Amino acid sequence: MGYNWDWSFFFEEDPNSGVLVWKLLLDGLLNTLTISVGAWVIAVFVGAVIGTIRTGNHRGLVALGNCYVELFRNIPLLVQMFLWFFVLPVFVAPLRSIDYSHYQLVSAVLCLGLFTAARIAEQVRSGIMSLPRGQRYAGMALGLTTVQTYRFVLLPMAFRIIIPPLTSETMNLIKNSTIALTIGYAELTFRGAKEIAEYNFRFFEMYVVLTAIYITVAMTANRIMAFIERKIAVPGFIAAGGGGGH
């Protein structure tokens, strides 16, 4: 049985909002990028801190870092999203005063950011531990403090090593942003599948377009990270242009 493909509805007005369908999708894409970029910033910063702590000599901080990683990696992402959105405001009263749509965004960014941070923390730890001990000793011989040694010697080299897996995490974060639709945030999939396709029943066309958009965004992120990898590679230490996600 043949299917009658019809792409014209993308250029028609959505009867619910009075906005052109393609503009609604563009708005959803911008919301997806907002979530992804915000969560990525949190993930890299928190992941770097937790990963660094786990390579130190303070047993209490190491144990705390390990608990963070195990906690966030072993709780399903969907459950974490519901905890952030539905449960946390019950215990933190100021959150209940935040505008509903803003809190949807905040919940999605924090959930994805802290979840991804646990994964990046493991990569940062592995990157630091893979470095020759001589680099740490060289920093100490120059009179650098422990914090300065990590900041100026160990972390810059570790991040060069972990760019390929960091690229994969960046692409996963973009894909995981679809989880925000479960709390009603109007990201790309919510706009396309919930608001538009459920009205006109053009699910086939919509999912083809959504797939193409996600592939384009993810591959763009992949190419950007590959470019960064080539630019910051240390000759003779790691291969340039490995291109995480290949």
Side-chain angles (χ1 to χ4, degrees):
M1 180 177 179
Y3 177 75
N4 183 26
W5 295 86
D6 181 12
W7 305 94
S8 62
F9 75 93
F10 284 101
F11 305 97
E12 299 174 353
E13 287 188 356
D14 176 65
N16 294 321
S17 61
V19 180
L20 293 176
V21 169
W22 71 267
K23 288 186 177 181
L24 283 178
L25 286 180
L26 179 60
D27 179 70
L29 174 60
L30 293 177
N31 288 341
T32 290
L33 294 178
T34 299
I35 295 174
S36 300
V37 172
W40 190 87
V41 171
I42 292 175
V44 172
F45 177 77
V46 176
V49 172
I50 299 298
T52 299
I53 286 175
R54 297 176 69 209
T55 63
N57 297 319
H58 194 291
R59 292 187 177 180
L61 291 178
V62 172
L64 185 63
N66 290 338
C67 288
Y68 176 92
V69 171
E70 293 303 320
L71 178 66
F72 281 88
R73 289 178 64 186
N74 289 288
I75 298 178
L77 182 56
L78 180 60
V79 174
Q80 293 187 39
M81 183 66 76
F82 287 162
L83 287 173
W84 277 103
F85 188 72
F86 295 110
V87 179
L88 193 61
V90 175
F91 299 99
V92 184
L95 294 178
R96 295 196 290 269
S97 63
I98 300 178
D99 179 76
Y100 182 78
S101 60
H102 290 164
Y103 187 64
Q104 286 177 309
L105 174 61
V106 170
S107 298
V109 170
L110 288 176
C111 176
L112 287 170
L114 296 178
F115 171 80
T116 308
R119 301 173 62 86
I120 292 179
E122 181 64 22
Q123 295 166 6
V124 171
R125 186 195 69 84
S126 299
I128 293 174
M129 297 300 291
S130 70
L131 295 174
R133 289 184 176 270
Q135 295 202 18
R136 186 188 299 263
Y137 296 149
M140 297 170 61
L142 290 173
L144 300 179
T145 64
T146 300
V147 174
Q148 289 173 330
T149 300
Y150 273 101
R151 178 182 176 186
F152 297 113
V153 180
L154 300 180
L155 281 176
M157 293 300 296
F159 268 97
R160 285 170 165 85
I161 295 173
I162 68 170
I163 282 184
L166 190 59
T167 299
S168 296
E169 290 303 328
T170 301
M171 298 171 70
N172 285 335
L173 194 155
I174 294 171
K175 292 181 288 185
N176 287 338
S177 66
T178 58
I179 201 74
L181 70 83
T182 60
I183 59 172
Y185 187 69
E187 48 76 60
L188 183 59
T189 302
F190 183 92
R191 286 289 197 205
K194 300 292 290 183
E195 290 189 344
I196 301 172
E198 283 191 355
Y199 176 80
N200 57 31
F201 299 104
R202 289 293 174 179
F203 288 99
F204 288 174
E205 292 90 336
M206 183 58 68
Y207 279 115
V208 168
V209 171
L210 291 179
T211 300
I213 293 175
Y214 278 113
I215 290 175
T216 300
V217 173
M219 292 309 300
T220 298
N222 179 287
R223 293 298 86 204
I224 291 174
M225 295 295 287
F227 173 79
I228 294 174
E229 181 180 357
R230 289 193 298 270
K231 288 297 182 182
I232 68 175
V234 178
F237 190 76
I238 55 176
H246 287 290

